[in-house]
Amino acid sequence: MVATILAPPEHKTVLVVEDNVWSRKLLETRLEIHGFRSVTSTDGEAALEIAREQRPDLILMDIQLPGISGIEAIRRLKRDERTRAIPIIAVTAFALSSDKTKILNSGCDAYVSKPIDSTALMGLIERYTR
Ligand code: MN
């Protein structure tokens, strides 16, 4: 009998940028359940550094952050050739259409509003990391 050696599951890495501890933990747990590895950052500046050093497969970016905003962080990530190709999903509590426009113009690949629909978000993450 020949043993079948299964390849280890491909763990994609998601960088979660979220300053709220509960939102962050919820996202980390969801990602783990879906087989993703997550790295976290509580602010945009640190996220830029982590993105450059670790090259995650995707970034989930909260918009309201201490220090530089998620919008500014997305702009910088998309301007930097080292991080430009990483898909970014913006996560925001903003509901105003002017904010939506600003967020979409920042260069993010997709956008979700809080409260987060986890099923929809995981679907998006899977699509963008495929
Ligand atoms: Mn926040």
Side-chain angles (χ1 to χ4, degrees), residues 17-20 41-45 47 61-71 73:
V17 189
E18 169 62 69
D19 58 320
N20 180 276
S41 172
T42 54
D43 70 84
E45 301 267 10
M61 180 72 73
D62 181 29
I63 294 300
Q64 288 177 293
L65 292 168
I68 63 166
S69 71
I71 291 176

Side-chain angles (χ1 to χ4, degrees), residues 23 26-27 91-95 112-121:
S23 302
L26 188 69
L27 289 168
V91 181
T92 182
F94 293 145
V112 293
S113 299
K114 289 179 183 177
I116 293 172
D117 172 344
S118 326
T119 309
L121 178 59

